[in-house]
């Protein structure tokens, strides 16, 4: 898709053109559960000073998550990130607020979230159909989220009824619980590749998405959109704690692997890589400070307004 620079943007939107012209353009992409949000309590207060500072400077902070668009609607508001894009379902869905849209390329957003939605791969209906085929043909054991009742999803994830319903509103992916051995998993993975699908590991589920729909591909698309709007490429910083964050961390200029509350291997290939000592939002703030806390006095000394970030603590589980 060819990008054309937009000449007029809403005055109240945090778009690339809102950035301090004295700063090199910057962009933050971040995982949520176990990264910006605490793995257990889902609190993000340790990250609030940096969130407020970046918001004041007009540096977009973009959630990149396995959550659905429906789950992100209230969460973006709570985090103060409604003016920035989001990437949902591990890269299958990109949401663009008005300040990130091109008048000639993007249809107006609809629904209460008011964003333009880009689907980067196949729809969830195709994925579900192929999963049913391969489960029968290979004789492998797994349970799709779509196989679970609402009550089972609530019991498995700890979500309340409203958020469990939102987690089931898949557009371009399908979570599953793997119940077979490692050899069967590899056979299953190869079968999915023949359908143009891939398997990625999340916090509680494996996720099946289109092969071109991972977090890294979606982040690359947004960086190109940012460059078209801003007129120059940004210095990009990515933060995450899980295997499904690896492609994102390999796409950005500077990467942070936040120490996770799990034993999963996270080894992105990025020469500018920092591993935190702290977990969750404390590690998130540690990672941002490592790369950006000392290289520019305006970033380090900018006054912080805590009101720019919410005290919301979402009681929900990573999928």
């Amino acid at each position: 898709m060819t990008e054309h620079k937009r000449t007029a943007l809403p005055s109240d939107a945090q778009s690339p053109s809102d950035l301090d012209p004295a700063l090199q353009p910057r962009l933050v992409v971040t995982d949520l559960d176990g990264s910006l949000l605490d793995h257990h309590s889902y609190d993000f207060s340790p990250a609030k000073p940096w969130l407020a500072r970046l918001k004041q400077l007009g540096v977009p902070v973009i959630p990149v998550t396995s959550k659905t668009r429906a789950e992100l609607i209230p969460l973006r508001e709570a985090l103060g990130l409604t003016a920035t894009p989001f990437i949902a379902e591990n890269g299958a869905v990109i949401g663009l607020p008005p300040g990130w849209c091109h008048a000639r390329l993007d249809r107006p957003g609809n629904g209460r979230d008011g964003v333009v939605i880009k689907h980067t791969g196949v729809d969830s209906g195709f994925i579900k159909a192929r999963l049913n085929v391969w489960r029968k043909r290979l004789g492998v054991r797994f349970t799709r989220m779509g196989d679970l009742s609402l009550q089972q999803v609530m019991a498995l994830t700890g979500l309340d009824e409203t958020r469990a319903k939102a987690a089931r509103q898949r557009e371009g992916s399908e979570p599953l619980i793997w119940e077979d051995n490692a050899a069967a998993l590899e056979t299953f993975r190869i079968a999915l590749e023949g359908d143009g699908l891939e398997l990625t590991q999340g916090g509680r589920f494996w996720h099946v998405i289109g092969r071109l729909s991972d977090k890294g591909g979606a982040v690359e698309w947004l960086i190109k959109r940012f460059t078209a709007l801003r007129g120059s490429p940004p210095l990009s910083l990515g933060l995450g704690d899980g295997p499904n964050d690896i492609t994102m961390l390999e796409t950005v200029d500077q990467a942070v692997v936040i120490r996770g509350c799990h034993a999963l291997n996270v080894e992105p290939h990025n020469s500018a890589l920092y591993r935190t000592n702290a977990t969750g939002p404390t590690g998130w703030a540690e990672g941002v400070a490592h790369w950006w806390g000392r290289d520019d006095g305006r970033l380090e000394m900018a006054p912080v307004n805590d009101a720019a970030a919410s005290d919301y603590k979402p009681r929900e589980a990573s999928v």
Side-chain angles (χ1 to χ4, degrees):
M1 179 183 294
T2 303
E3 300 283 7
H4 302 283
K5 188 174 180 181
R6 185 185 177 100
T7 57
L9 296 167
S11 60
D12 61 345
Q14 189 186 7
S15 69
S17 59
D18 292 330
L19 289 170
D20 180 350
L23 287 172
Q24 178 183 4
R26 295 173 188 246
L27 186 69
V28 176
V29 292
T30 179
D31 177 51
L32 292 181
D33 297 304
S35 297
L36 183 56
L37 302 178
D38 182 85
H39 181 75
H40 301 290
S41 68
Y42 305 102
D43 177 35
F44 64 94
S45 56
K48 284 174 60 178
W50 266 111
L51 283 174
R53 182 174 294 125
L54 294 170
K55 186 172 184 177
Q56 260 187 343
L57 291 168
V59 177
V61 177
I62 298 172
V64 185
T65 177
S66 62
K67 294 183 185 298
T68 65
R69 171 167 46 139
E71 289 178 277
L72 280 171
I73 292 172
L75 188 53
R76 289 172 67 233
E77 183 174 352
L79 290 167
L81 301 179
T82 55
T84 61
F86 64 83
I87 295 171
E89 296 190 43
N90 285 312
V93 177
I94 300 173
L96 299 173
W100 283 70
C101 294
H102 290 286
R104 294 189 299 276
L105 297 177
D106 301 318
R107 295 180 179 179
N110 52 47
R112 62 182 179 138
D113 48 350
V115 296
V116 170
I117 297 297
K118 303 286 186 180
H119 295 99
T120 65
V122 298
D123 65 68
S124 59
F126 172 80
I127 295 173
K128 293 174 184 177
R130 296 309 297 168
L131 287 178
N132 290 337
V133 167
W134 288 119
R135 178 163 51 187
K136 183 176 181 180
R137 187 174 299 177
L138 298 175
V140 294
R141 299 188 306 276
F142 63 82
T143 300
R144 297 190 297 104
M145 177 178 278
D147 298 328
L148 300 171
S149 68
L150 181 61
Q151 289 70 29
Q152 287 174 316
V153 173
M154 292 168 63
L156 183 64
T157 62
L159 298 171
D160 61 26
E161 183 175 351
T162 299
R163 294 189 178 113
K165 287 180 178 178
R168 287 160 58 94
Q169 295 179 33
R170 321 300 300 188
E171 297 177 68
S173 69
E174 178 68 5
L176 58 85
I177 303 167
W178 186 250
E179 298 160 341
D180 217 318
N181 58 39
L185 181 66
E186 187 58 27
T187 300
F188 179 58
R189 187 193 303 274
I190 292 170
L192 291 175
E193 288 176 354
D195 286 330
L197 303 174
E198 69 176 30
L199 195 61
T200 185
Q201 190 172 15
R204 286 172 171 79
F205 293 87
W206 288 87
H207 297 259
V208 180
I209 59 176
R211 189 167 53 222
L212 302 179
S213 298
D214 60 23
K215 287 186 175 185
V219 166
E220 183 178 10
W221 191 93
L222 274 180
I223 289 174
K224 289 179 180 177
R225 171 58 62 96
F226 180 104
T227 301
L229 291 169
R230 181 74 166 105
S232 59
L235 175 65
S236 56
L237 173 63
L239 306 98
D241 76 316
N244 60 341
D245 297 317
I246 290 176
T247 58
M248 172 182 73
L249 298 177
E250 291 179 341
T251 300
V252 294
D253 299 310
Q254 298 168 326
V256 175
V257 174
I258 297 170
R259 185 162 68 88
C261 300
H262 53 68
L264 302 176
N265 195 32
V266 184
E267 296 289 343
H269 297 290
N270 190 320
S271 58
L273 178 65
Y274 176 73
R275 293 182 178 275
T276 70
N277 295 307
T279 61
T282 302
W284 191 92
E286 177 189 339
V288 177
H290 172 81
W291 288 117
W292 292 2
R294 295 180 298 275
D295 68 338
D296 194 311
R298 287 161 297 189
L299 279 171
E300 183 179 14
M301 300 304 294
V304 173
N305 177 9
D306 282 343
S310 169
D311 290 322
Y312 178 70
K313 300 178 182 179
R315 302 297 302 177
E316 52 188 287
S318 170
V319 297

